[in-house]
Amino acid sequence: MLVLGLLLMAGAAAFAGLLIAYNLSGGPDYTVTLLGSEPFTISTLGAFLGGIALTLIFGLGMWMLLAGTALARHRGKKRRRERETARQATAERDALADRLEGRGSSTTAAEEPAGQRRPASHRPQWLRPHGHH
């Protein structure tokens, strides 16, 4: 969208500049000369409406340029937040893996997640979790 807006702005500005440069003679009906050819004749009202149309096209291009810039900035912030979240999750995963392998500080039963606790040997069989006999 950013490039398209820039192209629209440049095209409208170039077209308006060429029309002005090649048509400085004046008169009630203007024969438009553009790049060595005379594609059409235009009245004063037609020239006025053509100027309004070119201004609207230029404005649309400017709007698309600004919207594309704002969208790119928003996406960049979102990506930065996602990368930071991923870094934090990786650090937490690595710390937990170190704890499970015994490389980190000693853990007690209260620090271990509930799903990772080993059944105590003094519990009766019917109190032990299934699959851990």
Side-chain angles (χ1 to χ4, degrees):
M1 196 153 88
L2 186 72
V3 173
L4 187 59
L6 191 60
L7 286 174
L8 276 174
M9 286 174 48
F15 187 72
L18 286 172
L19 282 177
I20 291 169
Y22 284 110
N23 298 294
L24 293 176
S25 63
D29 282 337
Y30 302 103
T31 302
V32 176
T33 304
L34 187 63
L35 299 175
S37 67
E38 296 177 353
F40 53 90
T41 301
I42 192 166
S43 67
T44 306
L45 178 61
F48 176 72
L49 293 177
I52 290 175
L54 283 173
T55 303
L56 290 174
I57 291 172
F58 185 83
L60 175 67
M62 181 70 83
W63 176 78
M64 291 176 76
L65 178 74
L66 294 175
T69 303
L71 184 63
R73 186 178 304 133
H74 174 71
R75 286 183 180 166
K77 287 180 183 178
K78 184 178 177 182
R79 286 185 188 133
R80 276 192 295 270
R81 274 187 265 134
E82 288 173 352
R83 279 194 302 261
E84 184 59 33
T85 302
R87 281 188 199 115
Q88 289 174 353
T90 302
E92 185 178 336
R93 181 204 61 204
D94 292 344
L96 288 173
D98 287 346
R99 260 207 242 154
L100 284 174
E101 291 176 3
R103 289 185 286 178
S105 61
S106 61
T107 59
T108 62
E111 292 176 352
E112 291 183 14
Q116 301 294 323
R117 291 187 185 146
R118 295 185 185 98
S121 58
H122 66 275
R123 290 184 185 168
Q125 181 67 27
W126 58 274
L127 280 179
R128 293 184 187 169
H130 297 287
H132 298 279
H133 299 282

